[in-house]
Amino acid sequence: MIWSREEYLAHMTFEDIGREFFTELFGPLVGLPEEWRAQGATEQEVDLSAFGWDSVRYAWLPVRTGAITGLTPRVLEDTPEYTLSVDSYGRTVKLIKSSATIPLPLAYPVRNMDDWLKIRHWYTFREDRVPDRETLHAYARKQKEGCLILAGIPGGFDEARQLMGDAELCVAYYEQPELVRDILDTVAETALQVFERIADTVTVDLLHVHEDMAGKSGPLAGPVQVRTFIAPYYRRIWEPLHSSGATLFSQDSDGDIRPIMDDLLAGGLNVLYPCEPAAGMDMVELRRRYGKRVAFKGGIDKHALRGTRADIEAELQRKLRPALRGGGTVFALDHRIPNGVPIANYRYYVSRGRELLGLPPAFPAPFVRMAF
């Protein structure tokens, strides 16, 4: 089913519209399509269009709130095993083809305030960050026709991490707090100016921020750092947007963010995903704790699909329970479909999940990533 903007917003703000949302957020990991083909999967199963996943009509507003560096990415070396490149931040990055979809930086451009001041202009406001009026009016028309309008901002943790690296950023919270604060203040001020320019033409329905700031052992920034740096950055952007009509503020972060959830929600977030069970992010427990303060997407343990049908059944019975239905949940795997999931198991997961949620049998429909 293709949901309209109005249906999706109602569902994600805990209105029961009489149907549950069942989808894939990301799609398969590298190598899984080849595994499925070897097991006899059809091409429609490989591209996921055979499974009739739910989606919503959406469009990303073409505003530019992040870095505009003027640097052109280029490939330095390309082998069957890896690709070595220079990216748009000027970093040398390496992609291991057999196991990754995201290249890893080998060095970073910012170590101190002097380094930051040299590139601060990447983040300051300029008029070409905002599309022309004709384009904005076109998106306003899409919105009136039932299309969800999305916009993104740089992550409060992630953007500084892109500039400094995880370890250096974590140290900088203590040793160079003025540097971290200036990075976030600069980004926030630019985002505010961007959104002020569009406010009289089109409404942002959903503000999205990507963080990926945690692992199984917990978040890389603790409650003090979130309260001091990240939540104020969020609030500064979200509060005026919300006052202008924005409904959802969504964060993508892997890993266990439970120690900082209260502080993140205080920053305005009201949608979290992908809720990885292997990291302790149990949607059932989180819904019991937070009620209607936050909606969830994902949350079904992807690793259960590597097991038996009984494993899949147990996971579905636990996660598709009435307490998580009736609005506020997008039921989906907690990240990409992992290698080692047999196509027979995936077929069972889809058909049994639809049955438990009271959905009709799957019918072919284009797969649309719902990771936002």
Side-chain angles (χ1 to χ4, degrees):
M1 174 178 167
I2 301 176
W3 292 46
S4 70
R5 164 186 181 265
E6 292 74 19
E7 289 169 328
Y8 187 78
L9 290 176
H11 180 76
M12 295 303 284
T13 52
F14 294 89
E15 291 186 36
D16 187 350
I17 70 167
R19 193 185 194 282
E20 297 302 327
F21 201 114
F22 192 32
T23 194
E24 278 291 350
L25 299 181
F26 297 93
L29 267 177
V30 173
L32 185 63
E34 289 73 24
E35 293 179 28
W36 280 3
R37 289 189 182 100
Q39 296 164 21
T42 67
E43 285 306 306
Q44 288 71 37
E45 288 176 320
V46 169
D47 68 19
L48 304 184
S49 63
F51 299 107
W53 290 121
D54 288 333
S55 62
V56 62
R57 291 182 56 205
Y58 68 86
W60 287 96
L61 200 60
V63 294
R64 306 167 76 186
T65 56
I68 301 178
T69 68
L71 301 176
T72 302
R74 65 186 190 277
V75 174
L76 300 176
E77 185 179 359
D78 191 24
T79 76
E81 293 77 31
Y82 65 85
T83 300
L84 196 66
S85 306
V86 175
D87 70 5
S88 62
Y89 289 89
R91 307 174 304 189
T92 300
V93 297
K94 188 173 187 178
L95 174 67
I96 305 300
K97 296 179 179 180
S98 62
S99 59
T101 58
I102 300 173
L104 292 178
L106 304 181
Y108 295 90
V110 174
R111 294 163 298 175
N112 51 47
M113 183 65 82
D114 288 340
D115 291 339
W116 161 242
L117 292 177
K118 292 174 184 175
I119 64 166
R120 193 173 185 267
H121 63 278
W122 290 357
Y123 294 92
T124 53
F125 181 77
R126 37 194 270 187
E127 291 297 336
D128 64 356
R129 289 181 175 275
V130 182
D132 59 45
R133 306 307 290 181
E134 182 178 347
T135 299
L136 290 175
H137 282 295
Y139 277 80
R141 289 193 295 271
K142 289 177 183 283
Q143 191 170 47
K144 289 180 180 179
E145 294 166 358
C147 184
L148 189 76
I149 301 300
L150 316 179
I153 57 171
F157 180 88
D158 184 57
E159 193 64 25
R161 177 246 306 278
Q162 300 299 334
L163 297 174
M164 304 180 72
D166 294 290
E168 289 300 321
L169 171 58
C170 291
V171 172
Y173 283 133
Y174 296 93
E175 296 186 354
Q176 301 187 81
E178 69 288 347
L179 169 59
V180 179
R181 190 170 289 109
D182 195 62
I183 291 171
L184 296 181
D185 285 348
T186 302
V187 175
E189 180 58 33
T190 294
L192 284 171
Q193 292 187 61
V194 167
F195 292 131
E196 285 171 1
R197 295 290 203 284
I198 69 169
D200 62 346
T201 307
V202 62
T203 299
V204 174
D205 291 315
L206 182 149
L207 181 67
H208 178 266
V209 63
H210 174 270
E211 295 291 9
D212 275 1
M213 60 186 296
K216 286 185 178 181
S217 60
L220 293 173
V224 171
Q225 288 72 43
V226 174
R227 287 195 294 269
T228 303
F229 300 99
I230 299 172
Y233 164 71
Y234 285 177
R235 283 195 300 271
R236 188 176 173 192
I237 300 169
W238 171 246
E239 289 176 357
L241 259 185
H242 184 49
S243 296
S244 297
T247 303
L248 303 177
F249 186 6
S250 172
Q251 184 197 82
D252 173 359
S253 187
D254 300 340
D256 182 5
I257 59 169
R258 288 175 298 171
I260 57 173
M261 271 186 64
D262 288 296
D263 297 298
L264 291 172
L265 298 187
L269 293 176
N270 55 21
V271 181
L272 294 175
Y273 75 96
C275 300
E276 293 185 287
M281 293 289 291
D282 184 335
M283 284 198 306
V284 177
E285 295 301 322
L286 293 173
R287 177 57 50 79
R288 185 177 295 123
R289 176 176 176 181
Y290 289 99
K292 295 183 179 181
R293 288 181 61 195
V294 58
F296 298 113
K297 298 169 65 174
I300 300 172
D301 190 352
K302 57 187 175 288
H303 299 299
L305 274 64
R306 286 171 161 163
T308 65
R309 286 195 174 191
D311 296 325
I312 298 170
E313 179 71 20
E315 178 65 8
L316 289 173
Q317 289 285 353
R318 173 168 170 73
K319 297 296 171 61
L320 275 54
R321 61 176 59 193
L324 285 166
R325 302 189 200 180
T329 307
V330 167
F331 292 102
L333 295 183
D334 62 295
H335 214 285
R336 291 183 181 272
I337 312 162
N339 306 104
V341 171
I343 185 60
N345 279 15
Y346 193 77
R347 291 169 182 151
Y348 178 77
Y349 160 71
V350 176
S351 62
R352 186 63 176 138
R354 296 184 74 89
E355 182 181 2
L356 290 172
L357 291 173
L359 303 177
F363 57 90
F367 167 61
V368 179
R369 275 174 55 100
M370 291 297 297
F372 56 76

